Amino acid sequence: MASAAPSNSLVLPDPLPLDSGAALTGVRIAYETYGALNADKSNAVLVCHALTMDQYVASPHPITGKPGWWEQSVGPGKIIDTDRYHVICANVIGSCMGSTGPASNGPDGTPYAMDFPVITIRDMVRAQVAMLDAMGIERLYCVIGGSMGGMQALSLAANFPERADRVLAIATTARHSAQNIAFHEVGRQAIMADPAWNGGDYYASGKTPDNGLAVARMAAHITYLSEEGLTEKFGRRLQDREEKTFGFDADFQVESYLRYQGSGFTQRFDANSYLYITRAMDYFDLAEEHGGTLAQAFAGTTARFCVISFDTDWLYPTAESRHIVHALNAAGAPVSFVELSAPYGHDSFLLDVPALDRVMKGFLDG
Amino acid sequence: MASAAPSNSLVLPDPLPLDSGAALTGVRIAYETYGALNADKSNAVLVCHALTMDQYVASPHPITGKPGWWEQSVGPGKIIDTDRYHVICANVIGSCMGSTGPASNGPDGTPYAMDFPVITIRDMVRAQVAMLDAMGIERLYCVIGGSMGGMQALSLAANFPERADRVLAIATTARHSAQNIAFHEVGRQAIMADPAWNGGDYYASGKTPDNGLAVARMAAHITYLSEEGLTEKFGRRLQDREEKTFGFDADFQVESYLRYQGSGFTQRFDANSYLYITRAMDYFDLAEEHGGTLAQAFAGTTARFCVISFDTDWLYPTAESRHIVHALNAAGAPVSFVELSAPYGHDSFLLDVPALDRVMKGFLDG
């Protein structure tokens, strides 16, 4: 992958304690902000990003040059209105867009690689709360996230209950299922099977495990789309040809699309970061962290919640959101819940779903 | 992979014409039979096997020593009663258990490898019909198959309508969907990304692309099981440990299971065969072969049909079976159809589902 210097970053003043028992010192957090913070610092909205995303919510990605990943929802006059809110998004620790991760230099001045400690979703949240401390923001107007971002939003509500007024969790889950873990394990094995991975020590070699990372991305990408969406988008249509070639080229559009997704991903993402972040997601079980009962996780919450699922999301199906909502009900927390109909599967939270906009706006501005 | 000489085989007397326009000469078909063929050769049941299976339906696998893959259903006094029926199962062409495939020697005396022609489901069926010709069996009592075996059963009914009295198609589809193709493409890319694959030329090297093949198998294996089944079988339970290790070992049972599935598979299967057979499945579209209308495929049929799906099969969901049944109805063919409830996903057809036994027995003996 190519790298780019983050536009904003800060170094946490204190060592960051981790769930593993280890601690990380000199943690850098790369972040972007959009819109002005008001005088009493009461309009901050923390957006938490998903597995392969980053802090570039509403500004161009420095490597790909593509628009921010939530540009359609975040900006002046948009659903998350930056004329009104101060939007903050930080690259999670373990990632590769400027925050401390396996590609960062460790204490010995060389990249951590597999000496980077295994982190959890709660560790990612701890780092962001420490960032908010450094920014002097005591209480968020709202914490928002989809997918792994939703895990962080829920984790923040559970572990730092005094830090947010509103929690908006979209297309997410309170725990990774066996099937979720299984797909991630396929991806990790694909990366580790690539000889260029070299036990994680590839930063100096100039040879990155792109083949393995591309396969991991392809497998994961299928889980982000619905079967119906794939059929509608590609069906069995052929790619730039009239007939099947009776060979192993990408005859079908869906093959060509997946290969493109896989190879594009390797331009912007670090394979070791993929290992660490998928591990954090697989370890995520908010109930387990709180005595085995999800309601207990939310016992101390002071926030209002909004939980949104999509009917075609088979990665984190609606049943997982219902499970969260039942726990919030049991904890006596105010929560609104809606399952939206959208054809795009898990990725619906990133795409043009007008009903999502309406629900988000109602919850945020209400 | 290790190899073992097949117990029975024959060489087709004529070149086998292929859908690609090529022809294969000297095609060897390895097969097993169970039960006696009656005098008028009217009790033959052809069992067609799935992607990674073989002719060892009801006898031990020569490499793994494990029981036959359908031993619970095929044998004396069993559902497919070999006291009554002469059961035949042939290894499909393109595979690696004795029938001609990419690991077989081509005309130049060295393995075909990627010079093996791309084959189709119809080509596999053509080879089996030629085998039946050689055996003097004009009309099957029944052709049976699950998954890719069901594709072959349907293809035989469509392309050789005079060759079977009964067609039993289980957990199958008349066409591969975009999602089906996508999962197979991930597997192929995993194999091809393995440097040991070496463009398919690995037979002489002694180094087989086991890492890539294992990843392919892991990804596919997830699609054979239901989300519910995985949760019930593994959930988030840890493997031989009390606590998460904060590392990348197989902490979770589901990870350990998948790794075992992947590595076990490489002992008995050829990576190039995996490429060729998945390609054949992806190319499968029975309607396309017959002017774009599935009913047209069955226009000349003289058989009775039974179509069975499973409610937790998300690889070939019930909607695909319904699609087949509607076409058979439109073609005026007698068909019974049932969706069975079973927790095991696609693999239900291989597992202990008493209702499946009852339906199969009723259709076979009725």
Side-chain angles (χ1 to χ4, degrees):
Chain A
M1 59 166 285
S3 63
S7 31
N8 305 291
S9 72
L10 55 81
V11 175
L12 299 182
D14 299 317
L16 185 73
L18 302 175
D19 279 341
S20 66
L24 267 177
T25 53
V27 173
R28 182 173 294 277
I29 306 288
Y31 63 94
E32 292 290 314
T33 65
Y34 309 90
L37 185 62
N38 61 12
D40 62 356
K41 300 188 173 185
S42 64
N43 71 334
V45 170
L46 180 67
V47 174
C48 300
H49 70 74
L51 166 54
T52 68
M53 287 163 202
D54 45 57
Q55 65 271 37
Y56 300 99
V57 176
S59 40
H61 191 284
I63 297 171
T64 66
K66 289 186 184 164
W69 56 266
W70 226 10
E71 203 137 337
Q72 72 170 30
S73 299
V74 177
K78 296 187 181 175
I79 300 302
I80 304 175
D81 186 351
T82 53
D83 288 337
R84 190 163 171 178
Y85 304 116
H86 176 64
V87 172
I88 309 165
C89 184
N91 190 216
V92 297
I93 58 166
S95 189
C96 50
M97 289 303 290
S99 290
T100 298
S104 307
N105 283 342
D108 68 355
T110 67
Y112 280 105
M114 299 308 282
D115 288 333
F116 193 75
V118 165
I119 51 164
T120 65
I121 298 293
R122 181 159 56 181
D123 293 335
M124 294 175 185
V125 170
R126 277 196 192 99
Q128 291 177 81
V129 169
M131 171 192 75
L132 295 175
D133 287 343
M135 292 170 168
I137 296 172
E138 287 188 13
R139 191 168 170 96
L140 294 164
Y141 180 83
C142 188
V143 57
I144 303 182
S147 197
M148 187 183 82
M151 298 179 191
Q152 293 167 68
L154 295 172
S155 177
L156 187 142
N159 293 297
F160 302 91
E162 73 287 359
R163 301 300 291 248
D165 275 341
R166 288 170 178 75
V167 179
L168 178 47
I170 312 170
T172 194
T173 180
R175 64 184 169 207
H176 242 210
S177 73
Q179 192 186 68
N180 295 152
I181 296 170
F183 275 113
H184 275 174
E185 174 67 1
V186 168
R188 286 190 292 264
Q189 291 297 314
I191 291 168
M192 292 177 165
D194 187 330
W197 180 64
N198 189 35
D201 285 329
Y202 52 79
Y203 297 108
S205 73
K207 256 187 82 177
T208 49
D210 290 352
N211 291 335
L213 182 60
V215 169
R217 175 65 168 176
M218 289 172 68
H221 200 80
I222 301 173
T223 71
Y224 303 152
L225 308 174
S226 69
E227 198 273 332
E228 303 89 318
L230 276 169
T231 295
E232 195 178 301
K233 195 165 180 179
F234 305 112
R236 295 181 49 80
R237 284 187 291 282
L238 302 179
Q239 176 72 23
D240 302 332
R241 61 201 69 188
E242 295 294 314
E243 299 282 348
K244 296 193 274 269
T245 61
F246 289 92
F248 291 92
D249 284 348
D251 273 2
F252 295 103
Q253 287 180 4
V254 67
E255 294 176 303
S256 174
Y257 171 78
L258 275 184
R259 290 185 191 186
Y260 176 81
Q261 290 294 329
S263 64
F265 184 56
T266 63
Q267 308 302 308
R268 67 174 178 89
F269 214 81
D270 176 51
N272 283 341
S273 282
Y274 197 84
L275 298 179
Y276 277 89
I277 300 178
T278 56
R279 200 54 166 162
M281 294 173 78
D282 291 350
Y283 273 13
F284 186 60
D285 184 343
L286 198 50
E288 189 192 68
E289 281 178 11
H290 294 86
T293 310
L294 190 56
Q296 190 57 37
F298 299 119
T301 188
T302 60
R304 294 167 51 197
F305 290 78
C306 179
V307 176
I308 303 172
S309 70
F310 296 97
D311 59 351
T312 56
D313 182 353
W314 60 278
L315 188 67
Y316 304 138
T318 292
E320 299 298 333
S321 282
R322 263 197 211 103
H323 181 66
I324 296 164
V325 171
H326 290 168
L328 287 167
N329 288 337
V335 54
S336 60
F337 166 55
V338 63
E339 179 191 61
L340 298 178
S341 195
Y344 314 114
H346 181 64
D347 268 358
S348 296
F349 79 98
L350 295 168
L351 299 169
D352 184 23
V353 179
L356 174 63
D357 291 349
R358 286 194 296 273
V359 174
M360 289 207 304
K361 190 158 182 64
F363 180 71
L364 259 185
D365 298 349
Chain B
M1 58 166 281
S3 64
S7 30
N8 306 291
S9 73
L10 56 80
V11 175
L12 300 182
D14 299 315
L16 186 73
L18 303 174
D19 278 342
S20 65
L24 267 176
T25 54
V27 173
R28 182 173 295 276
I29 306 289
Y31 64 93
E32 292 291 313
T33 65
Y34 309 89
L37 185 62
N38 62 11
D40 62 356
K41 300 188 173 185
S42 64
N43 71 332
V45 170
L46 180 67
V47 174
C48 300
H49 70 74
L51 165 54
T52 69
M53 286 163 201
D54 45 58
Q55 66 271 37
Y56 300 100
V57 176
S59 39
H61 192 283
I63 297 171
T64 66
K66 289 185 184 164
W69 56 267
W70 226 11
E71 203 137 336
Q72 74 171 29
S73 299
V74 177
K78 295 186 182 174
I79 300 301
I80 304 176
D81 186 352
T82 53
D83 288 337
R84 193 166 171 176
Y85 303 115
H86 176 64
V87 172
I88 310 164
C89 185
N91 190 216
V92 298
I93 58 167
S95 188
C96 51
M97 290 301 292
S99 290
T100 299
S104 308
N105 283 341
D108 68 355
T110 66
Y112 280 105
M114 299 308 283
D115 289 333
F116 193 74
V118 165
I119 53 165
T120 65
I121 298 293
R122 180 157 59 180
D123 294 334
M124 295 176 185
V125 171
R126 276 196 192 101
Q128 290 178 81
V129 168
M131 171 192 75
L132 295 175
D133 287 343
M135 292 170 168
I137 295 171
E138 287 187 13
R139 190 167 169 96
L140 295 164
Y141 180 82
C142 187
V143 57
I144 302 182
S147 195
M148 188 183 82
M151 297 179 192
Q152 293 166 69
L154 295 172
S155 177
L156 187 141
N159 294 297
F160 302 92
E162 72 288 358
R163 301 301 291 250
D165 274 343
R166 287 170 179 76
V167 179
L168 178 47
I170 311 171
T172 194
T173 180
R175 64 184 169 206
H176 242 210
S177 72
Q179 191 185 68
N180 295 152
I181 296 169
F183 276 113
H184 274 174
E185 175 67 0
V186 168
R188 286 190 292 265
Q189 290 298 314
I191 291 168
M192 292 175 165
D194 187 331
W197 179 63
N198 189 35
D201 285 329
Y202 52 78
Y203 297 109
S205 73
K207 257 187 81 178
T208 49
D210 289 353
N211 291 336
L213 183 59
V215 169
R217 174 65 167 176
M218 289 171 68
H221 201 79
I222 302 174
T223 70
Y224 303 153
L225 307 174
S226 69
E227 199 272 333
E228 303 89 316
L230 276 169
T231 296
E232 196 177 301
K233 195 167 179 178
F234 305 111
R236 295 181 48 82
R237 283 188 291 283
L238 302 179
Q239 176 73 22
D240 302 333
R241 62 201 68 188
E242 295 294 315
E243 300 283 347
K244 295 193 275 270
T245 61
F246 290 90
F248 291 92
D249 286 347
D251 272 2
F252 294 104
Q253 287 180 5
V254 67
E255 294 176 304
S256 174
Y257 171 79
L258 274 185
R259 291 186 189 184
Y260 176 82
Q261 291 294 328
S263 65
F265 184 56
T266 63
Q267 307 301 309
R268 66 174 179 89
F269 215 81
D270 177 50
N272 283 340
S273 282
Y274 197 84
L275 298 179
Y276 277 89
I277 301 178
T278 56
R279 200 56 167 159
M281 294 173 78
D282 291 349
Y283 272 14
F284 187 59
D285 184 344
L286 198 50
E288 187 192 69
E289 280 177 12
H290 294 86
T293 311
L294 190 56
Q296 189 59 36
F298 298 119
T301 187
T302 60
R304 295 166 50 194
F305 289 79
C306 179
V307 176
I308 303 172
S309 69
F310 296 96
D311 59 352
T312 55
D313 183 352
W314 61 277
L315 188 67
Y316 304 138
T318 292
E320 298 298 332
S321 283
R322 264 198 211 102
H323 181 66
I324 296 166
V325 171
H326 289 168
L328 287 166
N329 287 337
V335 54
S336 59
F337 165 54
V338 62
E339 178 192 60
L340 298 177
S341 196
Y344 313 115
H346 181 64
D347 267 359
S348 296
F349 78 98
L350 296 169
L351 299 170
D352 185 23
V353 180
L356 174 63
D357 291 349
R358 286 194 296 274
V359 174
M360 289 208 302
K361 191 161 182 61
F363 180 70
L364 258 185
D365 299 350

